[in-house]
Every structure is written in C-alpha cells, then in structure tokens.
C-alpha cells in the first residue's frame, strides 16, 4: 500500500518510514507540519494516511483538521490518527461522519509493530481500529447511558468490537464459542436499539455512531 505520513517528531517519522518500507509498503510522502498535510494527500492520493493529531505551527489539532479536510476532498480516504494521549474530543470528531476506514491509536502502539501494522491494514480495508485505551474512555464516561444496561460480558464484547475485532478473535480472546459471541452481539444491539448485524466492520461503525451520539448527549447533560 502507498502511505502518506504526517508527524513532526523526526525520530518517530523516520521510524515509521523504515517500518512500513520493511513491511513491503511504499511511503509516498512525509509531512512535518499541519499546512503540508492536505497538499501531500491531494497530490499523492495514497491508500492510507498516518497523521499525528497535534502538529506545528500551533500544536493543537492541525493533523486532525487535515484528516477531516482530506476525507472531504477524497471520500473514504483511510486515515489512522496518532496521539500522545487519549483525547476524547478528537476521537469523537474523527468518528462523527460514521464512515469506515478510520483509526485512532496512541503513539505507544506504533512501537508494537504487529499491532500497528494490523491496525493500518484494518483501516485500509474500510474497518475501524481504535486503541483499547480510547475505547475504554468512550465506554466509561456517561451516566444514564443504555451501555449501562449491558452485562459485564456484553461490555467486553462491545469493547472488542469497537477495536475492530472479528467474531473469531473475540471468541478466542474471551475463551468462549463463536456461537456465544454471536448471541452476545445480538443482545448488545438489542439493548442499544441497533439492528443486529454481523456484516464486518459496519456493525462496529454502528456501535461507534451510537456511542458518539451518546457522548454528545452526556456532555450536554453535564453542562446543565
């Protein structure tokens, strides 16, 4: 696959270039500041973009803004966003359009080569790859949320679904049968008011879309 990397930390940026090249991928371009990102993406039209959230000149959300702009210009562009910390607002904004091909990882995950490459491949395939810590933040922040009605096991299943795991992986992780996983998934969708579906990443995106709406409602309630 052809990848554009946007990262201001030279050591991390070059490390990702070497990592991707050694895995047989092509790095089409690199960017070290926010204003460089969108032009590079529009010029090279890569298979995926790996972007830092905070980049020069402001070190606020330049990478995220570039990612959102690129998705408007190149619909469906797979984007894997990196962040030093779990930033709930950024995760919410990135996922708000409900489209696939999105990932949000903590930078520590890049050092775990297999996890990083697996996440990138899931994003390129149109799926979702959320860092477990990001999922944890999204699922533990609200009161009066239908997620509260889930059993502990159903929460575990939803957590793994949000990471982009398939039924086989969920079953192996939880040491249960795939039939049990399918039953838990059906229960999760029923309790969240979502139509049951095992059709790949679309089920994850449906859950994430629900969680994003719930997040917005929770924040509004907190302000009242």
């Amino acid at each position: 696959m052809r990848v554009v990397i946007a990262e201001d930390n030279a050591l991390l940026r070059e490390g990702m270039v070497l990592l991707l090249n050694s895995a047989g991928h092509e790095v089409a371009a690199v960017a070290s500041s926010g204003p460089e990102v969108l032009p590079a993406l529009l010029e090279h039209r890569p298979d995926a973009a790996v972007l830092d959230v905070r980049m020069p000149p402001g070190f606020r959300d330049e990478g995220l803004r570039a990612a959102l702009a690129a998705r408007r210009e190149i619909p469906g562009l797979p984007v894997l966003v990196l962040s030093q910390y779990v930033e709930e607002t950024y995760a919410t904004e990135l996922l708000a359009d409900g489209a696939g091909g999105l990932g949000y990882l903590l930078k520590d995950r890049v050092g775990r080569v297999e996890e990083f490459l697996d996440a990138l491949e899931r994003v390129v395939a149109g799926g979702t790859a959320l860092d477990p810590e990001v999922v944890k933040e999204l699922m533990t922040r609200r009161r009066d949320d239908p997620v509260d009605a889930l059993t502990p096991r159903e929460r575990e299943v939803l957590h793994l679904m949000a990471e982009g795991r398939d039924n086989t992986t969920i079953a192996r992780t939880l040491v249960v049968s795939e039939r049990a996983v399918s039953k838990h998934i059906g229960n999760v969708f029923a309790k969240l008011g979502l139509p049951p579906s095992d059709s790949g990443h679309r089920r994850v995106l449906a859950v994430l879309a629900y969680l994003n709406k719930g997040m917005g409602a929770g924040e509004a309630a907190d302000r009242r």
Side-chain angles (χ1 to χ4, degrees):
M1 77 179 73
R2 296 174 64 252
V3 182
V4 167
I5 297 173
E7 168 61 56
D8 65 288
N9 183 305
L11 185 60
L12 179 58
R13 184 175 64 244
E14 293 308 310
M16 286 192 288
V17 170
L18 291 173
L19 189 160
L20 290 170
N21 285 339
S22 66
H25 304 306
E26 175 190 347
V27 177
V30 296
S32 58
S33 69
E36 299 174 21
V37 179
L38 185 57
L41 292 173
L42 294 178
E43 176 183 352
H44 295 280
R45 304 273 169 157
D47 299 311
V50 179
L51 310 175
D52 186 8
V53 168
R54 300 187 179 195
M55 298 188 69
F59 291 99
R60 292 192 295 272
D61 58 0
E62 289 81 358
L64 176 70
R65 295 294 157 210
L68 295 173
R71 296 264 295 185
R72 288 192 293 268
E73 295 287 338
I74 312 172
L77 172 69
V79 173
L80 180 60
V81 171
L82 305 177
S83 180
Q84 190 69 42
Y85 311 102
V86 177
E87 305 194 61
E88 188 176 296
T89 302
Y90 294 156
T92 307
E93 192 162 358
L94 182 66
L95 296 164
D97 65 3
L102 289 170
Y104 187 108
L105 293 184
L106 296 182
K107 289 187 177 181
D108 288 348
R109 205 71 56 181
V110 176
R112 304 173 189 179
V113 175
E114 291 186 3
E115 291 185 35
F116 172 68
L117 293 176
D118 178 62
L120 184 59
E121 289 168 4
R122 288 207 307 273
V123 167
V124 171
T128 303
L130 290 185
D131 194 286
E133 289 301 315
V134 174
V135 177
K136 183 179 178 181
E137 288 287 334
L138 293 178
M139 292 184 63
T140 61
R141 77 264 177 254
R142 298 295 166 246
R143 58 176 179 266
D144 300 325
D145 192 319
V147 173
D148 294 337
L150 301 181
T151 66
R153 179 62 84 188
E154 290 164 356
R155 281 173 172 268
E156 289 178 315
V157 170
L158 180 56
H159 190 118
L160 291 167
M161 287 169 61
E163 290 179 25
R165 309 301 178 182
D166 59 24
N167 284 18
T168 301
T169 303
I170 293 173
R172 185 168 59 248
T173 301
L174 300 180
V175 194
V176 297
S177 68
E178 288 190 44
R179 182 176 180 181
V181 170
S182 295
K183 182 177 179 180
H184 288 312
I185 289 171
N187 291 339
V188 166
F189 280 116
K191 291 180 180 179
L192 298 184
L194 297 167
S197 171
D198 285 338
S199 54
H201 72 272
R202 286 173 291 182
R203 63 183 188 166
V204 181
L205 299 176
V207 173
L208 290 175
Y210 171 82
L211 291 177
N212 285 331
K213 287 189 289 186
M215 181 179 296
E219 287 170 348
D222 289 343
R223 288 194 292 269
R224 287 198 292 271

